[in-house]
Amino acid sequence: MQNLPTYDDVLAAARRIEGHAHRTPVLRSRTIDGELGAELFFKAENFQRIGAFKFRGAFNALSRFDERQKKAGVLAFSSGNHAQAIALSGKLLGISATIVMPEDAPASKIAATRGYGATVVTFDRYKEDRDAIARRLAEERGLTLIPPFNHPDIIAGQGTAAKELLEEVGELDALFVCLGGGGLLSGSALAARALAPGCKIYGVEPEAGNDGQQSFRSGEIVRIATPKTIADGAQTQSLGDYTFAIIRRDVDDILTVADGELVEAMRFFASRMKMVVEPTGCVGIAGARKFGPQLKGQRVGVIVSGGNVDLEQFCKLLGSPS
């Protein structure tokens, strides 16, 4: 592994994506403030381009391609949001994109990825190894592989969301960030440690996919089978070496939440804040709610990572009994 990215890399990424990525709003809710007895600040990345924070890292990474890489094209593997981010970034920068996606990824995410002009190659996430498929295709076609989280440029780009949040609201006592492969959490940790050294940083992941928590507790990367959870953006099998090293060094703890708690968070966002948020995007607030009384009197940041969910699934989940 090469040198880990630093906050200087986050600053450089912010300059590259300026004018291309949206500076998403920070939203408040008196309802949740009253529930937790704290001040919560939601960084609404569901309003980012392609509907998720992933655009930040993807555009940062592709904007650093040399002429040979641009001409050959980019390859990525993703359950959806990174796929769309690479596809749109490639379109904006004139770089052809091939995306390896699980065949059961939300139909809306597959359609959007194709709509941005990318070629989609599907696979069975429970039987096939996406890493092996991606490596083979990259070698055969001379493409540059940009993974969804374990890459310095991806990590630095994702860190710009927390950077913007902290610049806008000032120092926080706690920051809750969803955890899949760790790109957003590790990037957020770089920004938070630089801008709010006293802030407690918490990663939150689905109970069914707690490889990050196991890795954090054991001190080494733990790999699990593909977890079955409604949080499709967090159906990762392990952290990466880059993301794990930063998380182990800079993050205070890793929490887990049940799928039912994600549905309740989706319902809260829809009914009280009038936002469509995908299950993975609800992981942070579900973690803060689970922390509950420990946050009383604190200033708390939550990164809402995305809003890409099939409307049929959205209605089905919100229509289920509480």
Side-chain angles (χ1 to χ4, degrees):
M1 185 174 65
Q2 300 174 6
N3 292 335
L4 295 176
T6 68
Y7 182 61
D8 284 341
D9 295 307
V10 177
L11 291 174
R15 291 190 291 269
R16 292 187 196 102
I17 70 173
E18 186 175 4
H20 301 283
H22 297 323
R23 190 177 181 95
T24 51
V26 177
L27 305 177
R28 303 291 309 279
S29 166
R30 287 185 295 178
T31 299
I32 199 70
D33 284 0
E35 177 186 324
L36 298 182
E39 292 181 274
L40 272 73
F41 303 87
F42 296 96
K43 180 62 169 170
E45 286 293 289
N46 51 313
F47 296 125
Q48 185 54 263
R49 296 187 78 164
I50 70 92
F53 74 95
K54 292 281 191 176
F55 180 78
R56 297 172 179 274
F59 192 89
N60 183 51
L62 267 62
S63 68
R64 302 198 69 196
F65 274 23
D66 60 27
E67 290 305 314
R68 183 199 65 77
Q69 290 174 307
K70 289 178 182 178
K71 185 176 180 180
V74 62
L75 176 74
F77 51 83
S78 166
S79 65
N81 287 339
H82 180 63
Q84 294 174 77
I86 290 289
L88 177 57
S89 297
K91 183 177 182 179
L92 294 172
L93 293 166
I95 301 170
S96 63
T98 300
I99 314 293
V100 177
M101 299 184 73
E103 59 192 11
D104 64 342
S108 61
K109 293 183 178 182
I110 294 177
T113 301
R114 286 181 171 138
Y116 290 129
T119 298
V120 174
V121 177
T122 60
F123 73 102
D124 184 335
R125 77 166 89 213
Y126 299 105
K127 295 180 181 178
E128 298 180 276
D129 184 344
R130 69 178 187 178
D131 294 46
I133 294 171
R135 285 194 299 271
R136 175 176 56 80
L137 288 174
E139 184 174 346
E140 290 175 354
R141 304 180 186 183
L143 308 175
T144 298
L145 175 61
I146 299 295
F149 52 85
N150 197 45
H151 190 288
D153 294 335
I154 293 292
I155 293 168
Q158 316 308 27
T160 61
K163 171 184 175 291
E164 291 175 7
L165 171 64
L166 288 159
E167 286 174 343
E168 183 166 338
V169 307
E171 290 204 19
L172 297 169
D173 297 301
L175 177 64
F176 289 82
V177 184
C178 70
L179 172 59
L184 180 61
L185 179 57
S186 55
S188 297
L190 293 177
R193 284 289 168 253
L195 299 176
C199 178
K200 297 288 187 181
I201 305 168
Y202 300 101
V204 190
E205 60 189 349
E207 284 181 354
N210 73 331
D211 60 286
Q213 186 182 63
Q214 291 184 55
S215 301
F216 191 78
R217 301 276 193 272
S218 68
E220 59 185 17
I221 296 175
V222 173
R223 186 175 180 85
I224 63 172
T226 300
K228 293 186 177 181
T229 169
I230 62 172
D232 64 285
Q235 284 183 298
T236 49
Q237 295 178 306
S238 71
L239 302 176
D241 50 3
Y242 285 105
T243 59
F244 176 64
I246 296 170
I247 289 168
R248 187 182 183 190
R249 183 190 69 195
D250 293 339
V251 171
D252 290 279
D253 203 2
I254 306 294
L255 316 174
T256 63
V257 292
D259 277 4
E261 292 170 309
L262 298 182
V263 173
E264 284 304 309
M266 290 175 69
R267 188 174 287 118
F268 163 75
F269 280 131
S271 63
R272 306 303 301 191
M273 297 184 72
K274 314 308 175 189
M275 293 198 301
V276 174
V277 180
E278 64 185 281
T280 310
C282 295
V283 172
I285 182 57
R289 278 176 142 177
K290 201 164 188 177
F291 226 53
Q294 298 180 64
L295 299 176
K296 188 173 182 179
Q298 294 189 16
R299 290 167 49 84
V300 179
V302 176
I303 297 184
V304 181
S305 62
N308 294 323
V309 56
D310 283 328
L311 288 180
E312 183 178 347
Q313 183 198 25
F314 183 78
C315 294
K316 182 179 179 181
L317 289 172
L318 266 61
S320 61
S322 299

